[in-house]
Amino acid sequence: MNMEQRILMGNEAIGRGIIESGCTLVSSYPGTPASEILESVAAFAAEDAVPLHVEWSVNEKVAYEVALGNSYTGKRSAVAMKQVGLNVASDPFMRSAYLGVKGGLVVVVADDPGPHSSQTEQDSRFFACFARVPVFDPSNPTEAKDMVGKALELSEEYEIPVMLRPTTRVCHARQNVAVHAPKRPDRKAHFEKDPGRWVATPQFLTGLHRGLNDKIDAIAGRRDFFPSLTGGDGSRPRSCIISSGVAYANVYELLNDLGILGTIDLYKVDVPYPLNRHFIEEINTRYEEILVIEETYPTIEMQLQNGAVRGRLSKTVPDQGELMPEVIEKVLRSFLNLPEERGEEKPAVRGVRPTLCPGCPHRAAFYAIRKTFPKGIFPSDIGCYTLGMNFGAVDTCHCMGACISQGAGLYHAYAADGDEYPTIVVTIGDSTFFHAGMPALVNAVFTGARFILVILDNSTTAMTGNQPTPQVGVLADGRRGNPVYIPDLVTASGVRFLRECDPYDVEKFTEHLREADEYCRGAQGSVAVIISRHPCIMDREALKSQRRFRVAVTEECTGCKVCITRFECPAIVFDEEAERAHIDQNICIGCGVCEVACPVGAISVEEMGEDR
């Protein structure tokens, strides 16, 4: 057997598990903490010469449906996303639970307790329970890898999609993982026509629902999914602790550190939904004191249906936030009647406000928008550009693609009053426009909304690690695809005002903004679109190709700090001793845009030559 040990990040381990389990199609939309899964699948496939289709889909719903189509032919599929991505994919996810699958389908949904980089702190296990889809909950990268194979086997045995739910700490942890040779199943695509199942109209749904319930009951009754037990020594005979996922790993380590591991029964739940029926019976008859520690919602706790259970519902465990070791230790000490830890209070650490990178083209666009329309309303979206709120150029941020619809809603609200409406400038990134912006734009044009839409096109999905968008024309495995251009989509949506501009040219960009506002208010006005196009400066090749300037602050500086507070480039700092602004040459990339931010012209910009 071809086997070796490698130190892998959790997402890499999941990617390896997908390759080793014989999947032939993997799709995803990037989002922290799940972004590296597809990238690792592509890398491992190339390394082992495994033929499979990988793709960055335009959103999670599309990714899910592509994977589902592959499964319908009898081949194994995987789809990966973050927890809020499942909201987008919820329609096919719910439906596929009823209709089922043929080839195994594992749905990897990475949760973000905390949340560190998400708009909500939701628990996908709850979503699985809602859809009646089995879910595996790994506590470390090795388990995450192994559970991919188990999920696919379970999926094929019951013809049902199965979820794998890692959390941030599993996704980004590193561990020594056993690597095996990939399976290469010799399956030919075969779609078996069955309209009663695949086209299921309401007359079939009652039967399909009954069949789904039967599958869940059968899985709940399997002995092999009974949680594993680290038994106690009998000193706490009527008490137990139940945990799952990374919370279990923390509980285990804490009990060991406190010197009481093995004094109380500790259960590890790998399949939190459906919770094993025999386990529920045992817990409810054998124990009087039960502590459940799980992230993020009380999924296990609710299925036990036992009034003696203490957990997040009883607020014995905090009912929000990530369960860090210090949080769990406090809960354990209270439950086990241990003395409270008396450590020194740690001084509060003041965080640094996140901001756009030095030279980020979005900064120039936001600066121009805010300065041109100081009384405007600015809906925006999910991505780096959310940081435009630092400039007073982002007033709302809801979920992917919502900004365009919100802009339309704001316009209709003011228009209904018959008064002069404020200028509304909507900002959205290129990847987010592909994800969920296009239907909203069509709807806004169709319903006669009037606002300025600025598409911040930096030719990548920057926040999640620079994954390519359809416009770039590069597939997930590096091959060339068929590019789909944003201007073509905008025009096809019915937009009649379209301008493209590099935001580094602030004067030109401002001119387009004013022209767009005039168009919106004209007799034939509608949605006006400006594409703000400049590559992300995190792309080294793009950075090399752009003009660079030597930037300095002259003696004319009055120390007003306008350049710092209104432009907020990290490379502009205030020299307290000299009482004036200063350019930190260590991080300045020489874009020279900050010249426009000084009200007295004290920022000098000189283009560098070839010897820079």
Side-chain angles (χ1 to χ4, degrees):
M1 178 180 292
N2 179 21
M3 186 179 78
E4 60 176 306
Q5 296 283 325
R6 289 194 190 182
I7 297 177
L8 298 179
M9 185 170 66
N11 283 344
E12 294 171 333
I14 293 169
R16 185 69 200 179
I18 290 171
I19 288 291
E20 291 182 6
S21 300
C23 289
T24 60
L25 185 146
V26 187
S27 53
S28 179
Y29 182 82
T32 305
S35 300
E36 299 87 356
I37 294 172
L38 187 81
E39 293 167 350
S40 66
V41 167
F44 284 126
E47 179 181 314
D48 289 320
V50 174
L52 84 169
H53 175 85
V54 291
E55 71 169 55
W56 288 117
S57 305
V58 294
N59 65 34
E60 294 85 355
K61 180 176 183 291
V62 173
Y64 194 96
E65 290 160 349
V66 170
L68 191 61
N70 189 63
S71 170
Y72 278 8
T73 69
K75 294 187 175 184
R76 286 186 166 184
S77 310
V79 56
M81 62 195 74
K82 66 180 298 181
Q83 91 279 17
V84 292
L86 186 58
N87 302 345
V88 181
S90 60
D91 211 357
F93 178 63
M94 299 290 292
R95 174 80 164 168
S96 64
Y98 271 57
L99 272 55
V101 301
K102 293 300 288 185
L105 173 60
V106 60
V107 186
V108 185
V109 185
D111 280 2
D112 184 20
H116 298 277
S117 58
S118 306
Q119 59 266 45
T120 57
E121 186 186 29
Q122 60 195 58
D123 188 333
S124 298
R125 300 177 310 163
F126 241 55
F127 220 137
C129 181
F130 179 44
R132 299 188 72 76
V133 166
V135 55
F136 284 84
D137 196 3
S139 64
N140 58 52
T142 296
E143 284 188 4
K145 174 178 173 290
D146 294 343
M147 286 178 177
V148 170
K150 293 178 182 177
L152 286 164
E153 290 170 5
L154 187 68
S155 175
E156 290 187 344
E157 183 175 350
Y158 292 91
E159 297 194 350
I160 187 173
V162 176
M163 180 187 291
L164 175 68
R165 194 289 295 240
T167 55
T168 303
R169 303 291 173 181
V170 173
C171 292
H172 293 161
R174 289 188 178 275
Q175 190 177 34
N176 211 22
V177 177
V179 175
H180 302 270
K183 287 183 180 176
R184 298 174 188 268
D186 184 21
R187 298 182 184 180
K188 299 295 183 184
H190 174 67
F191 176 68
E192 188 174 339
K193 292 181 182 291
D194 185 359
R197 179 175 178 183
W198 304 127
V199 194
T201 50
Q203 70 191 86
F204 298 104
L205 295 181
T206 300
L208 288 170
H209 193 181
R210 188 182 306 113
L212 174 59
N213 290 341
D214 291 344
K215 291 176 185 178
I216 292 298
D217 286 345
I219 294 168
R222 288 173 57 138
R223 289 285 180 184
D224 54 337
F225 288 155
F226 194 97
S228 59
L229 170 66
T230 300
D233 59 6
S235 57
R236 302 175 191 268
R238 303 289 287 170
S239 302
C240 74
I241 300 172
I242 302 167
S243 191
S244 71
V246 76
Y248 168 82
N250 286 329
V251 169
Y252 187 96
E253 291 296 327
L254 284 165
L255 291 175
N256 194 40
D257 292 346
L258 293 169
I260 55 175
L261 182 66
T263 66
I264 184 169
D265 287 353
L266 171 63
Y267 288 95
K268 176 177 182 292
V269 178
D270 287 344
V271 182
Y273 180 81
L275 193 60
N276 188 271
R277 185 163 55 246
H278 308 291
F279 176 66
I280 295 173
E281 292 170 359
E282 178 157 327
I283 293 298
N284 289 339
T285 56
R286 184 173 171 185
Y287 301 100
E288 295 176 353
E289 291 186 313
I290 306 152
L291 175 64
V292 178
I293 299 179
E294 58 183 325
E295 285 179 325
T296 302
Y297 295 166
T299 306
I300 297 171
E301 190 179 348
M302 290 182 69
Q303 290 178 87
L304 287 172
Q305 298 181 3
N306 185 320
V309 172
R310 286 190 253 172
R312 297 198 107 150
L313 279 177
S314 68
K315 298 188 185 297
T316 302
V317 180
D319 57 355
Q320 79 290 316
E322 189 176 15
L323 293 180
M324 300 295 287
E326 57 268 28
V327 176
I328 296 176
E329 180 174 351
K330 191 173 181 180
V331 173
L332 289 175
R333 285 180 180 277
S334 174
F335 180 72
L336 299 171
N337 296 316
L338 300 175
E340 291 186 15
E341 186 181 31
R342 297 190 181 281
E344 291 184 5
E345 288 284 330
K346 295 180 180 178
V349 177
R350 186 176 180 180
V352 178
R353 183 166 78 166
T355 187
L356 296 169
C357 301
C360 175
H362 298 345
R363 173 178 287 102
F366 282 125
Y367 178 80
I369 291 169
R370 181 70 176 82
K371 189 169 184 180
T372 307
F373 307 113
K375 295 183 179 179
I377 300 176
F378 309 121
S380 192
D381 225 281
I382 307 291
C384 297
Y385 37 93
T386 307
L387 296 171
M389 65 183 177
N390 294 352
F391 309 92
V394 170
D395 292 323
T396 68
C397 179
H398 194 77
C399 59
M400 299 285 276
C403 61
I404 298 177
S405 303
Q406 286 183 325
L410 287 162
Y411 167 76
H412 290 306
Y414 280 96
D417 293 342
D419 301 326
E420 182 71 7
Y421 67 91
T423 297
I424 300 167
V425 184
V426 175
T427 49
I428 189 171
D430 47 345
S431 181
T432 313
F433 179 72
F434 281 111
H435 180 282
M438 290 186 292
L441 177 58
V442 171
N443 190 71
V445 172
F446 174 62
T447 58
R450 300 185 182 213
F451 57 82
I452 302 170
L453 170 62
V454 178
I455 301 175
L456 300 162
D457 180 3
N458 61 2
S459 303
T460 190
T461 315
M463 180 171 264
T464 51
N466 292 94
Q467 293 81 11
T469 68
Q471 185 169 243
V472 178
V474 178
L475 300 173
D477 56 5
R479 293 179 297 119
R480 295 296 303 178
N482 298 316
V484 179
Y485 298 107
I486 291 177
D488 294 345
L489 296 173
V490 170
T491 303
S493 297
V495 172
R496 299 291 174 258
F497 181 101
L498 173 62
R499 301 288 185 274
E500 299 178 50
C501 181
D502 186 334
Y504 273 13
D505 187 347
V506 176
E507 185 178 348
K508 189 69 176 178
F509 191 78
T510 301
E511 182 183 319
H512 286 328
L513 286 170
R514 291 187 177 130
E515 189 185 0
D517 189 44
E518 187 176 337
Y519 167 79
C520 289
R521 297 176 189 282
Q524 303 300 317
S526 180
V527 179
V529 176
I530 300 172
I531 298 177
S532 170
R533 177 170 293 132
H534 192 101
C536 175
I537 49 86
M538 295 300 289
D539 183 333
R540 292 181 181 275
E541 293 305 314
L543 186 59
K544 285 179 186 175
S545 64
Q546 73 180 36
R547 297 167 66 195
R548 293 190 64 186
F549 299 86
R550 186 173 290 103
V551 183
V553 178
T554 70
E555 298 286 342
E556 303 299 320
C557 177
T558 62
C560 69
K561 297 185 180 178
V562 168
C563 60
I564 295 173
T565 57
R566 302 279 177 83
F567 199 69
E568 202 181 66
C569 177
I572 307 177
V573 295
F574 194 75
D575 186 333
E576 297 289 348
E577 189 173 333
E579 296 184 337
R580 70 181 198 188
H582 171 73
I583 304 297
D584 183 348
Q585 301 295 344
N586 292 318
I587 59 174
C588 176
I589 69 160
C591 69
V593 179
C594 59
E595 182 182 23
V596 302
C598 180
V600 297
I603 297 179
S604 70
V605 173
E606 178 185 356
E607 186 163 5
M608 295 182 182
E610 294 298 325
D611 58 342
R612 64 194 185 203

